Amino acid sequence: MKRSIGCVGLAAIAACSGNNSARPDVGSGDVPSAEVSTDLGAVDAGIDVGVDAPATDTGPRDVGAVDAGPRDAGATDVPIVADGGSLVTYTERRDPCTDRNPLRNAYFGDLHVHTSYSFDSYVFGNRNDPAAAYRFARGEEVPLAPLDSAGNPTRRARLSAPLDFAAVTDHSEFLGERSICTTPGAAGYDSATCRLYRSGTMAGFVEFGAFLTRTDPSRLPFCGVGGRVCTDAATAVWRTIRDAAEGAYDRTSSCRFTSFVAYEWTATTGGSTMHRNVIFRNANVFDLPVSYIEESTAPGLWSALQARCITGLPGCDVLAIPHNLNISNGNTLALEYPAGSTEAQQRELARTRAQMEPLWEIMQHKGASECSSRFSGPDELCGFELMNPTQPLCNGTGTGGGSSCQSRSSYARYALADGLREDARLGVNPYRVGFIGSTDTHNGTPGNTAEATFPGHVGDEDGTPATRLSDNNVVFNPGGLAGVWSVENSRDAIFDAMRRHETFATSGTRIRVRMFGGWDLPTTVCGAPDLAAQGYALGVPMGGQLAARPPSHTSPRFVVLAAADRTPLQQVQIVKGWIDAAGAAHERVVTVAGSATNGASVNTTTCATTAGAGAMSLCGVWTDDQYDPSIRAYYYARVVENPTCRWSTVLCNALPAGSRPANCTSGVVPPTVQERAWSAPIWALPPR
Amino acid sequence: MGEPEPPATPTVIEEGAARGRRPSAFARAGREPLVYFALAGALLFGVDRVRHPPREVRGDIVLTRDFVDGVRRDLASRGGRAPTRAELRAALERFAEEEVLYREAAALGLDRGDPIVRRRMIQKMEVMLGGDAPEPSDAELMRWRDAHPDRYATPASVDFIQVFVDGARHPDTAADCASARARLDAAEAPTSVGDPFVDGATFTAQSRSQVELRFGGAFAEALFNAPAGRWVGPLTSRYGCHHVRVEAVTASRPAPIDALRERLRADLLEDQRSAARRRAIQRLRTRHTIRIDEASP
């Protein structure tokens, strides 16, 4: 058995324990009956150029609508765009942000962060708790595993630039158990399970993790009748997690940092990673997370979140973000419906899914999920940070741990086409999503994505150069970041941006990318200093849906504007995917700015790069002359940096030549990477 | 280093350990996870004897009615029903027997030489020596805040607009930047001059560190020294050339106490506890003669 970790580890457990039982029909739980009020079309309503009023200096306001007067443009000549007068409505008490931008700012965050409160992170030796994770996100230094003999951490880490937002997403399963097993005197502390857990071996991790692969997950015996001992403990832990988020949230008008109360729902049924991160809009949350043990199917999770939060708890709002499609055996985005369900029921389920899951995390520590060179051969950039380049292919879905097979629905690009097919069939696109990246760190170090200084994300498991370069770990990467275009850095504003899919993913770099699509965007828009104002006025941003085609127009136009982080950009591409009249999926990748042959190169011995190649800023306009008004299509941007050394190459170079692990030369991973950003798609649908 | 732990689910409490002593301190501590944990742990383990005279190691073991009630509730909570008389009796016997073993083990010094036990006891001492700091008043919080402007002040910031000339698109960036400036000086609208920049043309309440991250140190230096209300430039960033006009400057100021109260309280209490701990450790050190034979190099 290959020793592995995290979600992959859980998957591996199932494979090795022979637990390949089929997962139950998706949706065999209750189909949500709650009426969902969000009109998915409404969020793309055109934004009018409006007249601004000078913002007044206001103190804290009560909960309720805040008149988001655009900030004082005073003496400036920059036109202000307002979306009908109210840019953000606060659902909890806070000071309005001084920096409120109707044209939206790019904010970077991490929505996938494990701390010592996660059962696996603790076993891996991490002792950074949620408060420490938020301190790290805000730019402070934290300790890192491995621990020395006295239990003290031996390394430290700090971000080169703080994040704008973060969510601690500890595994909701075993929050209480982990606490009990590490708190002397707690009921169950002396149980065999807890003793094994505290031994710090993988056996302790497996003891818990195996529950997450079962179709009938249950609590451990020491949790007592109904699991009360453990859920009571979990309630207290959850309280601490909420307090940590509260402590980190900047409610002043400075709006320097936003935290989200959040957790991870860790369904690994039959070994397939079907995890979701559950992110709450504000501090109005329920007292105990709905974990895999309470709800073992995604529709069950959505139902519970709707019943217990959206409709059941005043002020509560929540969304769920699937991740690691790449190791799901195609299951996370398998379009399955309860046997015998009517079309109306299927439509309702698709609508619920679109409502509850507006984003996909397509880049993280355990690989990229945009596309695979297995399915998009001609697109060379699909070979990027693939976790499973050699697994067998499966048609539809498979079971078994460690990602037993690769399906088209293991990757966003192809699953989006499945969503379009559903849109044609049901009139609802269940996969009307935006993209984000995040780290999935198990060190409590959100946003720690730098290749050159990557210290690992899994505590003791990858805490040394030798373990990081092992067969199991060398295929991992430092993870991605979540980008949002938000009017300000507050919970409500960022949550709104996530809901309207105005997000982008990066592979860890801080590329900012804007994308607009519309019928009236001028071909010269890349020369317009007020590009964003024109984009919002004449089109829709990333995540939006093109307005109905005016009779006078035949082709939609797209513009992508990107700024580099530190490494110059090589090219900007637009990826178009569509289904034809027969329902077959197609894809096309067009370079709209820059060039793959710009002369950039990297010396893999020194990691020095060619000076002068590439651009720090790129802008491209593209008109889709092949646009067919009768078909459904999506368009997303991919912004690619010049090649740089992969973290593994930097690490190998730093080791004495004689003591480099085999993977420094094995070719298992490429020596270089091209860091990148992906915009959320813009959608083109025929009139209903 | 003690990770703040959520409170344990209490099981059994030793006789007399928790009852009737300093409820206010306990209530205060309940708001502080680390202390709560330490207290809970201390109570559960009877280690708070440090502050109280140690009891006879060999002596009577009395399980009082309160204690027995606690065990009964615990069994009921775990079993989902009230325990039978026999079950309760067995649990109490077991506890009593364990207590015998615990006291004998302690008397034999079995806690010595075990790094885990040593570490835990040190941690508990450290928490305990921090003491119970009194709840700080708002005035004290404000004094603490003002004494640490680097930690709590809202940094100085500027509002500015920019005109950007993209270095990648203009091989002769300097010349094109100069002509952009000429157009601005001729009162042309900045929205029609230069190239689009991904973050836009208008920046509000930008701290120096934010500007440095986006545009670099030299740019930030020039911007924060620029006079308000007129075009300044060219400023250079890794993206190209910029002309900026500062619209407003906001000086560094203390953050409002309401927004900081919890953080200030936690930081101040931790500071007081840590000072108390240092003093206590110094005091305790005087009881011991410490000799260190340094190894020869």
Side-chain angles (χ1 to χ4, degrees), chain B residues 37-167:
Chain B
F37 165 56
L39 277 180
L43 295 172
L44 292 164
F45 273 68
V47 175
D48 66 337
R49 289 172 202 155
V50 171
R51 277 190 296 181
H52 306 280
R55 276 172 292 177
E56 187 60 37
V57 168
R58 296 166 198 233
D60 296 343
I61 293 171
V62 180
L63 304 184
T64 63
R65 179 164 301 175
D66 279 359
F67 178 80
V68 172
D69 285 346
V71 174
R72 186 183 289 113
R73 278 194 304 276
D74 181 56
L75 289 173
S77 145
R78 279 199 273 176
R81 59 169 173 79
T84 66
R85 189 187 247 336
E87 286 166 340
L88 179 62
R89 184 73 206 176
L92 294 169
E93 287 287 353
R94 197 160 54 242
F95 181 86
E97 205 169 287
E98 283 174 355
E99 182 64 16
V100 168
L101 289 178
Y102 175 75
R103 292 187 189 187
E104 293 294 337
L108 288 170
L110 295 188
D111 50 334
R112 297 186 153 274
D114 181 330
I116 294 170
V117 174
R118 180 174 183 269
R119 186 74 216 154
R120 286 207 67 83
M121 293 184 72
I122 292 167
Q123 283 172 345
K124 286 170 184 166
M125 277 299 283
E126 284 174 344
V127 171
M128 201 141 4
L129 294 175
D132 294 330
E135 192 59 33
S137 67
D138 269 15
E140 285 172 305
L141 292 181
M142 246 180 284
R143 268 200 302 281
W144 171 259
R145 176 194 66 180
D146 296 340
H148 300 86
D150 51 322
R151 288 166 73 176
Y152 305 112
T154 303
S157 66
V158 296
D159 298 0
F160 67 99
I161 62 172
Q162 70 153 340
V163 161
F164 170 58
V165 176
D166 189 337

Side-chain angles (χ1 to χ4, degrees), chain A residues 179-180 183 186 232-234 236-237 239-240, chain B residues 4-10 30 33 36-37 40:
Chain A
S179 169
I180 288 167
T183 306
D232 284 354
V237 178
R239 180 78 252 171
T240 312
Chain B
E5 294 271 0
T9 305
Y36 189 98
F37 165 56

Side-chain angles (χ1 to χ4, degrees), chain A residues 670-682:
Chain A
T672 64
V673 286
Q674 286 184 271
E675 302 282 357
R676 60 197 63 195
W678 301 265
S679 79
I682 290 175

Side-chain angles (χ1 to χ4, degrees), chain A residues 97-287:
Chain A
C97 294
T98 307
D99 180 8
R100 180 176 290 166
N101 183 357
L103 296 175
R104 293 163 195 169
N105 296 321
Y107 294 107
F108 287 100
D110 191 339
L111 298 175
H112 195 167
V113 178
H114 293 280
T115 77
S116 57
Y117 287 10
S118 286
F119 74 99
D120 49 357
S121 172
Y122 187 91
V123 170
F124 301 148
N126 173 43
R127 294 295 178 270
N128 288 323
D129 64 7
Y134 285 125
R135 284 199 301 276
F136 182 83
R138 298 188 62 152
E140 293 184 33
E141 189 179 80
V142 300
L144 286 184
L147 310 178
D148 65 18
S149 59
N152 294 314
T154 55
R155 302 182 297 163
R156 307 190 71 80
R158 180 178 202 152
L159 285 176
S160 58
L163 291 178
D164 300 308
F165 65 96
V168 165
T169 54
D170 280 313
H171 293 294
S172 54
E173 303 78 14
F174 316 123
L175 281 178
E177 288 82 343
R178 199 283 319 175
S179 169
I180 288 167
C181 284
T182 58
T183 306
Y189 178 82
D190 291 320
S191 65
T193 305
C194 282
R195 284 204 300 272
L196 181 63
Y197 182 76
R198 283 193 303 277
S199 70
T201 63
M202 288 303 282
F205 163 69
V206 170
E207 176 87 358
F208 280 177
F211 279 85
L212 302 180
T213 68
R214 287 167 38 175
T215 51
D216 58 341
S218 60
R219 298 253 169 219
L220 290 156
F222 73 71
C223 294
V225 172
R228 274 297 300 278
V229 173
C230 292
T231 53
D232 284 354
T235 303
V237 178
W238 180 232
R239 180 78 252 171
T240 312
I241 291 170
R242 292 155 65 187
D243 288 346
E246 184 58 40
Y249 187 30
D250 183 358
R251 289 180 188 270
T252 74
S253 59
S254 299
C255 295
R256 284 290 188 266
F257 186 80
T258 293
S259 61
F260 287 100
V261 180
Y263 70 86
E264 178 167 358
W265 177 81
T266 321
T268 320
T269 322
S272 303
T273 297
M274 292 181 281
H275 305 178
R276 266 84 170 172
N277 284 320
V278 175
I279 314 282
F280 292 89
R281 177 188 278 272
N282 53 40
N284 299 312
V285 305
F286 37 64
D287 289 337

